[in-house]
Amino acid sequence: MKIELLAIGDKMPTWVATGFNEYARRLPADTTLQLKQVRAVTRGKNSSIPKIIAEEEKRLRSVMPNSAHIVALDVNGKQLSTPQLSEQLSIWRELGKPIALIVGGADGLSPNLLNQTTQSWSLSRLTLPHYLVRVIVAEQIYRAWSILNGHPYHRA
């Protein structure tokens, strides 16, 4: 299974890459997790937010894998417990297509893109820094995989 985390923003602290890569590398060869960072639109004092969101949508679409199962990370999405995420991971595996997890920029994802996603997942009702989301998603994907495979990482 190939999972791609597509995220707006390409100037992240070093610890973000370190954290993301730590969990991504722990996954076996048949379950890959890749991060594709997309440059954010430069914002000015009088920037049009709808135009920024539309441009960021174009940039995200340009890196989406063909025929992917698209999951928006969105505060209004469905919240999952870790065991529920492991069940979801199993379902995604059975789909036999790439999984694209998308994270919008500072102003969120476009309504158009949200309406075209297959699923919407909320990590929390809290507003999380977008760079922290990358590490949380990687860790939770690894944890969900560990549950499915009886790996001792998950001990809850």
Side-chain angles (χ1 to χ4, degrees):
M1 171 174 42
K2 182 177 182 179
I3 304 170
E4 293 185 6
L5 180 61
L6 314 177
I8 296 291
D10 60 347
K11 295 178 182 171
M12 298 296 118
T14 305
W15 65 264
V16 173
T18 302
F20 182 90
N21 291 334
E22 175 62 27
Y23 294 107
R25 77 164 181 79
R26 292 183 186 188
L27 291 166
D30 68 344
T31 305
T32 62
L33 176 61
Q34 289 183 306
L35 174 61
K36 287 187 177 177
Q37 299 183 110
V38 178
R39 189 174 50 85
V41 173
T42 303
R43 287 154 170 76
K45 191 169 112 176
N46 297 319
S47 295
S48 165
I49 300 304
K51 286 183 180 178
I52 289 171
I53 292 171
E55 177 58 30
E56 289 179 345
E57 175 186 353
K58 284 184 201 171
R59 293 178 185 187
L60 284 167
R61 287 185 186 278
S62 74
V63 298
M64 278 184 197
N66 292 333
S67 71
H69 179 84
I70 303 168
V71 181
L73 275 88
D74 182 65
V75 70
N76 296 312
K78 182 177 180 181
Q79 289 191 348
L80 300 172
S81 67
T82 302
Q84 288 171 324
L85 179 60
S86 71
E87 292 170 13
Q88 186 61 68
L89 191 65
S90 179
I91 291 167
W92 290 342
R93 182 182 299 159
E94 291 177 21
L95 291 175
K97 56 168 83 174
I99 307 301
L101 306 175
I102 58 173
V103 180
D107 299 300
L109 293 166
S110 75
N112 183 49
L113 188 53
L114 284 171
N115 288 334
Q116 294 176 4
T117 59
T118 314
Q119 286 180 275
S120 186
W121 173 25
S122 173
L123 297 178
S124 172
R125 294 292 179 222
L126 298 171
T127 301
L128 301 172
H130 290 192
Y131 52 83
L132 185 56
V133 165
R134 298 164 195 215
V135 179
I136 292 170
V137 166
E139 191 279 337
Q140 285 298 298
I141 294 291
Y142 176 69
R143 185 176 295 271
W145 173 87
S146 72
I147 290 170
L148 288 174
N149 291 279
H151 189 278
Y153 179 78
H154 180 74
R155 294 184 182 97

